[in-house]
């Protein structure tokens, strides 16, 4: 089965990043009609084989606050990400190329998370070694793992592509429900995931499957090396 979960974290120069880890279900069905588990397992396999994908997520909390993110990746070592917080207008952009991160928070982000005024141009990117898990920045990889139980929902259509709803619940997430929209024509990609929980809801869409990937470092004049930053 598959999980899509957005998390938020903070770090000294880059924080709070929504990231989605999606997909997968093990097991198989019998008979002519594939089981829900088999369909999600096939979707997991298809997503793992991708060489590029774009993930757009929108999270709304029950208190009305929320954030959105756009993430394009080769699922290996090259990706771009931008997270925007709705209430404050804070944004955090990231480019990862191999072992190097380029991070660009806007003025609202710096003031929100550090309590200090931004003392460099708005278009400055901070160059730093690729981050460790949990520091708030995004990894280019995605972990397609299974959990919980899954059942078939209704036939549907996402942007002109026929799909089927696969509904996932998990004992570890009481009250939470994931609805996966899996393509039933062409390759069985995950097209959309809707999560509804007690405290928040998240809608995640997938597109640009194996599309061109243009990930490049910012212009040198816009880059400040982290070793030059006076901490």
């Amino acid at each position: 089965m598959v999980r899509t979960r957005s998390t938020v974290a903070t770090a000294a120069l880059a924080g709070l990043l929504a990231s989605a880890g999606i997909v997968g279900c093990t097991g198989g069905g019998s008979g002519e009609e594939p089981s829900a588990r088999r369909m999600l397992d096939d979707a997991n396999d298809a997503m793992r084989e991708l060489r590029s994908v774009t993930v757009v997520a929108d999270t709304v909390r029950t208190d009305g606050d929320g954030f959105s993110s756009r993430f394009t990746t080769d699922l290996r070592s090259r990706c771009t990400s931008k997270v925007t917080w709705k209430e404050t207008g804070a944004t955090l952009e990231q480019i990862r190329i191999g072992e190097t991160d380029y991070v660009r928070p806007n003025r609202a982000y710096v003031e929100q998370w550090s309590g200090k005024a931004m003392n460099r141009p708005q278009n400055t990117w901070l160059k730093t070694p690729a981050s460790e898990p949990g520091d708030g920045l995004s990894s280019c990889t995605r972990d397609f793992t299974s959990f919980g139980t899954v059942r078939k929902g209704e036939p549907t259509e996402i942007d002109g592509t026929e799909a089927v709803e696969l509904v996932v619940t998990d004992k570890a997430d009481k009250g939470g429900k994931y609805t996966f929209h899996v393509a039933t024509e062409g390759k069985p990609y995950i097209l959309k995931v809707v999560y509804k929980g007690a405290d928040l809801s998240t809608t995640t869409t997938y597109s640009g499957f194996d599309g061109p990937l243009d990930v490049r470092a910012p212009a040198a004049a816009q880059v400040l090396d982290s070793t030059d930053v006076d901490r």
Side-chain angles (χ1 to χ4, degrees):
M1 177 175 79
V2 186
R3 184 189 300 263
T4 299
R5 190 180 299 276
S6 294
T7 59
V8 184
T10 57
L13 292 172
L16 285 171
L17 182 69
S19 65
I22 309 281
V23 165
C25 236
T26 59
S30 59
E32 297 181 0
E33 183 84 9
S35 70
R37 286 186 175 274
R38 181 69 259 170
M39 294 177 74
L40 212 44
D41 191 39
D42 289 344
N44 183 33
D45 291 341
M47 298 297 278
R48 281 193 184 126
E49 292 175 357
L50 287 170
R51 309 303 293 185
S52 65
V53 65
T54 293
V55 185
V56 177
D58 186 70
T59 296
V60 179
R61 300 186 183 279
T62 52
D63 60 8
D65 194 10
F67 53 90
S68 60
S69 63
R70 182 179 181 87
F71 177 69
T72 299
T73 177
D74 66 359
L75 295 173
R76 291 157 186 83
S77 63
R78 299 174 70 88
C79 57
T80 64
S81 173
K82 182 176 181 179
V83 184
T84 302
W85 284 263
K86 298 175 181 179
E87 185 174 353
T88 64
T91 64
L92 178 65
E93 296 175 83
Q94 175 194 356
I95 300 171
R96 175 167 291 186
I97 301 174
E99 297 300 317
T100 301
D101 275 328
Y102 299 89
V103 182
R104 180 167 69 176
N106 71 351
R107 195 174 306 279
Y109 179 91
V110 172
E111 293 176 356
Q112 177 177 344
W113 299 112
S114 72
K116 300 178 182 179
M118 190 170 182
N119 60 3
R120 55 183 180 270
Q122 181 74 64
N123 66 345
T124 301
W125 292 84
L126 179 68
K127 180 180 179 181
T128 184
S131 57
E132 295 297 325
D135 68 357
L137 293 180
S138 181
S139 168
C140 296
T141 60
R142 282 295 177 267
D143 183 20
F144 300 107
T145 58
S146 59
F147 69 101
T149 59
V150 55
R151 64 175 175 83
K152 286 186 184 178
E154 299 297 322
T156 186
E157 185 176 290
I158 303 295
D159 294 332
T161 299
E162 293 183 3
V164 63
E165 294 179 350
L166 300 177
V167 181
V168 174
T169 55
D170 186 35
K171 291 181 179 179
D173 184 9
K174 294 182 179 179
K177 181 178 73 173
Y178 300 81
T179 302
F180 293 86
H181 301 254
V182 175
T184 54
E185 58 178 275
K187 293 187 177 182
Y189 292 136
I190 300 269
L191 304 177
K192 181 179 179 180
V193 182
V194 178
Y195 170 74
K196 293 185 178 180
D199 300 320
L200 58 83
S201 61
T202 299
T203 299
T204 306
T205 59
Y206 299 83
S207 62
F209 304 110
D210 282 336
L213 188 70
D214 184 17
V215 178
R216 64 184 69 185
Q222 298 179 346
V223 175
L224 177 65
D225 197 292
S226 61
T227 58
D228 297 329
V229 176
D230 184 6
R231 300 179 187 277

